[in-house]
């Protein structure tokens, strides 16, 4: 059986959400990276990717898939945050 390898985009979105959660814990709930609404948008894109993967594996029909990408201003923050994380490694 082939091991599941999530798409890089899914990995990147999870990475920035985890980073945001870590920062939030250190700042006692004051969001330092993404607002609640931006986090919702990121999770909407993650859900969209999961629905596309479910279609590819035959779990759902094409009309059940979602197609969502975060708005450009959130995409810019995602790229900035990923760059910041990668520079810390």
């Amino acid at each position: 059986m082939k091991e599941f390898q999530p798409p890089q985009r899914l990995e990147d979105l999870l990475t920035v959400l985890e980073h945001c959660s870590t920062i939030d814990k250190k700042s006692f709930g004051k969001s330092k990276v993404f607002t609640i609404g931006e986090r919702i948008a990121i999770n909407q894109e993650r859900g969209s990717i999961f629905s596309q993967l479910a279609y590819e594996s035959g779990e759902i029909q094409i009309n059940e898939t979602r197609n969502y990408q975060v708005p450009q201003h959130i995409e810019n923050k995602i790229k900035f945050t990923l760059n910041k994380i990668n520079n810390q490694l």
Side-chain angles (χ1 to χ4, degrees):
M1 181 185 246
K2 184 179 165 186
E3 184 179 329
F4 174 71
Q5 284 292 337
Q8 186 61 48
R9 179 64 174 176
L10 196 56
E11 292 273 336
D12 290 346
L13 295 175
L14 180 59
T15 298
V16 296
L17 287 172
E18 287 175 340
H19 177 73
C20 183
S21 293
T22 301
I23 297 298
D24 283 354
K25 285 179 186 174
K26 292 178 182 176
S27 63
F28 303 106
K30 294 179 183 173
S31 181
K32 297 285 185 176
V33 182
F34 298 100
T35 66
I36 292 170
E38 290 169 337
R39 290 178 62 93
I40 290 170
I42 292 168
N43 277 304
Q44 287 291 331
E45 183 170 337
R46 291 180 69 232
S48 174
I49 295 169
F50 279 120
S51 75
Q52 293 165 24
L53 292 172
Y55 168 71
E56 289 174 9
S57 67
E59 296 174 25
I60 62 174
Q61 300 296 315
I62 187 71
N63 62 337
E64 298 173 288
T65 60
R66 295 185 283 158
N67 189 12
Y68 178 82
Q69 289 184 296
V70 296
Q72 189 60 49
H73 72 281
I74 299 175
E75 181 63 30
N76 293 342
K77 285 180 81 171
I78 290 170
K79 288 178 181 175
F80 176 81
T81 304
L82 284 171
N83 191 27
K84 186 175 174 183
I85 292 167
N86 290 332
N87 287 336
Q88 292 175 355
L89 298 178

